[in-house]
Amino acid sequence: MTFNKSMMALAITSLTFSAGHALAKVSAEEAAKLGNELTPVGAERAGNATGTIPEWTGGMTTPPAGYQAGGPRIDPFADEQPLFVIDASNYQQHADKLSEGQKMMFEKYGETFKMRVFKTHRTAAAPQWVYDNTIKNATTGMLTEDGNGTVQANGGFPFPIANNGLEAIWNHNLRWKGEGVYKEYMTAVTYEDGNRSYGGVNLWEKYPTHTKGVYDPDFNGNIMELLVSYTGPIRRKGEVIVVLDPVNQSETPRQAWQYIPGQRRVRRAPTIAFDTPNSGGNGQITYDDTFMFNGSPERYDWKLVGKKEMYVLYNSNGFLSKFVGKPDEALELLTPNHVDSSAERWELHRTWVVQATVKEGKRHAYGSRTYYLDEDTWTAVLADSFDGRGNLWRTNFTRMLNAYDVPITTLRATSTHDFQNNAYFMSELDTKPVRFYEGEASKYFTAGQIRKMSRR
């Protein structure tokens, strides 16, 4: 099963990015569709022809009965039953709505891997100020000439009406994730024999491009400011990393610092990017696999292939809440080869298909990648990664948390399945509810803060 074969199956129009079109932006007439036939972030407002995907009516902005502020974000659809189940015996009947990675899961692990498909709920929502800024960005937002940054866009999605693959992947990088967050979570690698290795993380993130009450089209700061403190395993306990990702990486590349207790010094960490193996995942992921994709897109040519209906893990509060406060009990859901299928919720959603192919003269461990971006959030919800020969190597699934109290719909508990060694890595299994707030001040995300933490 190869990347080329998988792309031949998509009978949809391809839109390719080239540097000469980097400064294209949409007209006022096109932008007027936002909030009308399109949602404020550029998705189709209407449902599909068969009624299996409903109309978007504003998303879910009110917590369900039983939710307690500050507690686990409970499943608002806990009483629903699956509409049907896809398994090894019938997955070919649904092949047009499955990625190559999903098909491989059935082919390799068909005795246990199943997809319980539930009613689709388009719960994605954002604050009105994010919508207002996104609509402004539509007629002003631009890529830099080399496509390695954005300009004249702030406070919302930069390209709600994306015209090429680079604009689409920048929408993912600059998607609404909140102003800032604090997370406490565990990670786990589950091996083919069922053994596991674990990690623990405290993580602070700040998104300066999204600040309530601020719209600055000349903003030239950071997309993300991140500080991660490892609480496990023992070999990484006390390690601290700071990462700064500028909005215009044509001018300033990613900056990173790292403190390793055994070395007892803070040092620059330029390799925390691209295809460097992330030691937190025991070699099962690269640094740019984190958050499905992050960082500079400069090593790939990006193609916007088109729209496609796909089965994705959505409204996953039921699964995610099992780890909050009681992770030891929930670990039994991490069965060999994949998460226990009885705990997962799949829904049919429209996605943008984006194909990335390594540029001539560049290198990356993955020769090509295919991303499926949820139309309502621009989040990469599925990803397939292929080696240099075009063979499927890894597939990534992320589970979408419905944080109706913010409101925000965001990725959590991403799993990366390696078809070469049959192990999978789970990131961001929250042991406490994610705290969405204004975030720490920028001085928190510095080498000085790392030194302060290392002396504790």
Side-chain angles (χ1 to χ4, degrees):
M1 185 179 300
T2 66
F3 171 80
N4 291 332
K5 289 179 181 178
S6 68
M7 285 296 100
M8 289 173 63
L10 294 179
I12 43 186
T13 305
S14 295
L15 299 170
T16 309
F17 168 82
S18 63
H21 296 91
L23 301 182
K25 43 191 174 179
V26 305
S27 66
E29 290 75 19
E30 288 180 283
K33 297 177 182 178
L34 297 168
N36 293 299
E37 62 257 52
L38 300 179
T39 73
V41 304
E44 295 174 56
R45 181 183 290 271
N48 64 359
T50 61
T52 50
I53 295 176
E55 177 187 7
W56 184 81
T57 57
M60 187 173 182
T61 59
T62 303
Y67 169 70
Q68 297 182 357
R73 294 178 173 93
I74 61 175
D75 183 359
F77 311 116
D79 294 334
E80 292 186 354
Q81 296 299 314
L83 301 175
F84 55 92
V85 177
I86 305 174
D87 59 25
S89 70
N90 65 3
Y91 81 92
Q92 293 288 3
Q93 299 170 26
H94 302 271
D96 62 328
K97 296 178 176 62
L98 300 173
S99 70
E100 293 305 303
Q102 290 170 315
K103 295 174 191 176
M104 183 66 84
M105 295 292 288
F106 286 114
E107 292 173 15
K108 293 202 71 169
Y109 315 127
E111 290 187 6
T112 54
F113 182 70
K114 297 176 175 59
M115 294 170 64
R116 301 191 310 151
V117 179
F118 289 76
K119 178 182 177 180
T120 297
H121 296 278
R122 294 179 70 181
T123 48
Q128 185 61 45
W129 62 268
V130 174
Y131 294 150
D132 293 342
N133 292 339
T134 298
I135 291 171
K136 293 176 185 176
N137 291 340
T139 55
T140 62
M142 298 180 289
L143 293 169
T144 57
E145 188 64 31
D146 61 0
N148 202 27
T150 66
V151 293
Q152 294 297 300
N154 184 243
F157 296 85
F159 309 110
I161 302 177
N163 290 303
N164 55 62
L166 262 174
E167 290 183 352
I169 204 64
W170 274 110
N171 280 341
H172 166 79
N173 277 350
L174 284 160
R175 66 196 182 277
W176 167 240
K177 303 181 288 291
E179 297 181 75
V181 297
Y182 173 67
K183 310 169 185 174
E184 290 186 28
Y185 61 84
M186 64 181 302
T187 64
V189 179
T190 302
Y191 300 96
E192 187 174 16
D193 61 5
N195 287 323
R196 303 189 199 100
S197 59
Y198 303 107
V201 171
N202 296 339
L203 180 63
W204 293 260
E205 296 171 29
K206 173 73 173 178
Y207 308 113
T209 50
H210 288 90
T211 302
K212 185 177 181 179
V214 175
Y215 176 72
D216 179 9
D218 296 318
F219 178 85
N220 196 30
N222 294 320
I223 298 170
M224 176 182 72
E225 298 170 346
L226 175 154
L227 186 149
V228 55
S229 174
Y230 288 92
T231 59
I234 294 298
R235 61 183 173 81
R236 298 199 78 181
K237 188 174 183 179
E239 181 180 339
V240 183
I241 294 173
V242 162
V243 175
L244 305 180
D245 259 356
V247 71
N248 187 344
Q249 300 197 22
S250 297
E251 294 182 351
T252 308
R254 168 176 286 184
Q255 301 175 70
W257 295 265
Q258 184 176 31
Y259 172 77
I260 299 176
Q263 298 177 1
R264 301 197 63 78
R265 67 186 180 93
V266 178
R267 61 181 180 84
R268 286 272 191 170
T271 60
I272 296 180
F274 300 113
D275 58 350
T276 301
N278 186 333
S279 57
N282 283 14
Q284 293 296 123
I285 63 167
T286 61
Y287 271 109
D288 63 6
D289 277 324
T290 305
F291 311 131
M292 298 293 279
F293 179 80
N294 75 96
S296 168
E298 67 185 82
R299 294 192 181 182
Y300 287 97
D301 288 319
W302 298 83
K303 179 185 292 186
L304 184 59
V305 180
K307 269 281 184 69
K308 197 167 190 283
E309 295 180 4
M310 300 289 290
Y311 294 117
V312 300
L313 291 164
Y314 218 93
N315 293 302
S316 294
N317 296 39
F319 171 81
L320 298 170
S321 63
K322 293 181 186 300
F323 288 84
V324 176
K326 46 187 177 182
D328 291 344
E329 297 177 27
L331 286 174
E332 64 186 38
L333 297 175
L334 307 185
T335 53
N337 302 319
H338 57 82
V339 170
D340 186 339
S341 296
S342 67
E344 300 273 52
R345 180 190 178 98
W346 298 86
E347 295 183 2
L348 184 68
H349 285 259
R350 283 186 296 241
T351 66
W352 287 105
V353 184
V354 179
Q355 172 186 327
T357 306
V358 171
K359 286 182 179 178
E360 185 175 353
K362 297 285 187 179
R363 60 161 300 279
H364 197 285
Y366 302 136
S368 56
R369 302 158 103 165
T370 306
Y371 291 95
Y372 299 86
L373 312 184
D374 167 41
E375 71 165 344
D376 289 328
T377 63
W378 290 100
T379 303
V381 285
L382 295 173
D384 289 338
S385 301
F386 301 78
D387 65 22
R389 297 182 299 277
N391 297 312
L392 182 60
W393 180 1
R394 290 172 176 158
T395 192
N396 294 24
F397 308 145
T398 200
R399 291 146 186 86
M400 296 293 275
L401 171 69
N402 179 0
Y404 28 67
D405 54 310
V406 181
I408 186 171
T409 301
T410 190
L411 59 79
R412 309 299 306 134
T414 299
S415 55
T416 302
H417 302 262
D418 191 315
F419 295 121
Q420 294 181 1
N421 62 20
N422 297 317
Y424 68 99
F425 172 68
M426 292 288 297
S427 68
E428 299 196 300
L429 292 162
D430 298 315
T431 54
K432 292 186 178 179
V434 177
R435 179 190 174 203
F436 295 97
Y437 68 122
E438 66 275 8
E440 303 299 321
S442 290
K443 65 182 180 181
Y444 194 79
F445 304 95
T446 61
Q449 177 65 25
I450 296 180
R451 294 187 186 97
K452 185 184 298 184
M453 295 176 73
S454 70
R455 290 193 292 268
R456 292 177 183 172

